[in-house]
Amino acid sequence: MWKNNFKIALRNLLSNKVSSAINLIGLSVGMAAALLIFIWVQNELTFDQNPNNADRIYRINSHWQDGEQMLNFGFVPLFLHEQAKDQIPEIEAYYVMRRAFAPLLKLDDGQLHEEKDLVYVSSNWFEGFDYTILQGSVESFKNNKFSIALTEHQAQQYFGEASALGRQIRVDTNMYTVNLILANNPANSSFQFNAFLPLESSWKSIAEYERDYRAANYYYMTFILSRPDASLTNIDQKLESILAAQSEDDTDRTNLT
């Protein structure tokens, strides 16, 4: 039976070549479009969903009124999360990151690299966001102010096939030891950084930290982990109060995303 049906269908296709070709092309294009849409939707739904507590992690954004213009950016001053620790019990944890501006790195074999994807992160960064550990340990990174973590790709860029663990890299005037190797960043992640340094090593002295703390420098990307029963509206209002109390212009605002 199916053979007869196949013969009839083939005969119809051959007898109406132009319309058959149009129908087949239309069907192919429709299937390809549907597949692409499915892949896009799947990527959007899983984007930045890798942390265990993704539904409770929010980034603090800043909004600053400059005359008639509203400036929006994803960075806040250092003092904001430092003061919020004592004033906002609804926040369970803070994860802080600051970009390094393409410093020149010197490897222990004398090679020089300009690294555009280097960031300073708080000691709990790898606890808040799920990274796959290939070599070393998060504890070794946390316990050594002069540790550096690299993705597998970056470790190979620097040291080839040789083991990068335990190798040393000079960043500016500090010497760092590779204590952590991470799996490469997934494509559906906002974080595409390849090298990580402890945030505390970004200040060369206590005086430099205190100066940075007092200044309203919007250098720090800050994420919060809210408590399960927390009100985001209340958290946002308290963050705004802290920011306004330290700012010369009380038109500064925050919001969570």
Side-chain angles (χ1 to χ4, degrees):
M1 184 67 180
W2 66 270
K3 290 183 179 180
N4 290 333
N5 292 336
F6 178 77
K7 289 179 180 179
I8 293 171
L10 182 61
R11 191 180 300 118
N12 289 334
L13 287 173
L14 294 175
S15 61
N16 301 282
K17 294 181 181 179
V18 175
S19 61
S20 297
I22 293 174
N23 290 334
L24 287 174
I25 292 172
L27 178 63
S28 300
V29 171
M31 292 179 65
L35 181 60
L36 289 173
I37 291 172
F38 172 79
I39 294 173
W40 177 81
V41 170
Q42 184 183 44
N43 181 72
E44 288 295 306
L45 292 176
T46 59
F47 201 86
D48 280 345
Q49 294 299 308
N50 59 313
N52 290 326
N53 298 307
D55 60 329
R56 294 195 288 125
I57 293 180
Y58 301 89
R59 185 180 69 183
I60 306 176
N61 296 319
S62 298
H63 308 282
W64 184 54
Q65 188 74 39
D66 184 15
E68 296 182 357
Q69 183 180 13
M70 178 66 76
L71 304 178
N72 307 301
F73 38 95
F75 300 89
V76 297
L78 177 66
F79 68 74
L80 184 61
H81 88 273
E82 293 279 9
Q83 294 188 20
K85 289 178 181 178
D86 299 324
Q87 300 183 35
I88 310 180
E90 297 94 328
I91 297 178
E92 193 171 308
Y94 298 83
Y95 311 108
V96 183
M97 178 180 71
R98 189 183 107 182
R99 293 206 65 155
F101 298 101
L104 193 64
L105 276 61
K106 185 176 182 180
L107 308 186
D108 54 12
D109 61 1
Q111 293 185 59
L112 297 176
H113 291 266
E114 184 181 28
E115 182 51 66
K116 298 180 180 180
D117 294 319
L118 176 70
V119 289
Y120 292 97
V121 296
S122 55
S123 61
N124 63 345
W125 183 264
F126 298 113
E127 298 170 1
F129 301 95
D130 294 340
Y131 289 83
T132 301
I133 309 302
L134 300 182
Q135 298 180 55
S137 70
V138 172
E139 287 301 316
S140 63
F141 179 86
K142 290 175 59 176
N143 294 332
N144 185 349
K145 176 181 176 179
F146 296 107
S147 291
I148 183 169
L150 302 173
T151 60
E152 183 179 27
H153 168 77
Q154 206 63 19
Q156 291 176 350
Q157 287 284 101
Y158 289 163
F159 302 107
E161 296 303 319
S163 175
L165 207 63
R167 300 288 292 270
Q168 291 193 315
I169 301 175
R170 180 179 293 277
V171 182
D172 295 328
T173 59
N174 294 326
M175 186 69 76
Y176 294 83
T177 301
V178 180
N179 285 332
L180 188 60
I181 305 296
L182 310 165
N184 294 327
N185 301 303
N188 61 345
S189 171
S190 298
F191 305 128
Q192 296 298 320
F193 305 107
N194 292 316
F196 305 82
L197 300 175
L199 183 62
E200 59 180 315
S201 70
S202 65
W203 303 293
K204 294 181 173 60
S205 66
I206 295 178
E208 187 174 312
Y209 164 79
E210 291 176 344
R211 183 173 62 249
D212 201 11
Y213 179 89
R214 290 192 300 270
N217 295 327
Y218 286 71
Y219 296 156
Y220 297 88
M221 184 176 289
T222 303
F223 297 80
I224 67 166
L225 174 65
S226 66
R227 297 193 181 280
D229 58 346
S231 165
L232 297 184
T233 300
N234 290 341
I235 290 176
D236 196 24
Q237 291 174 347
K238 291 179 180 181
L239 289 171
E240 285 189 10
S241 297
I242 295 172
L243 188 62
Q246 290 285 337
S247 175
E248 296 179 359
D249 186 346
D250 62 4
T251 58
D252 288 7
R253 293 290 183 267
T254 63
N255 82 299
L256 304 175
T257 59

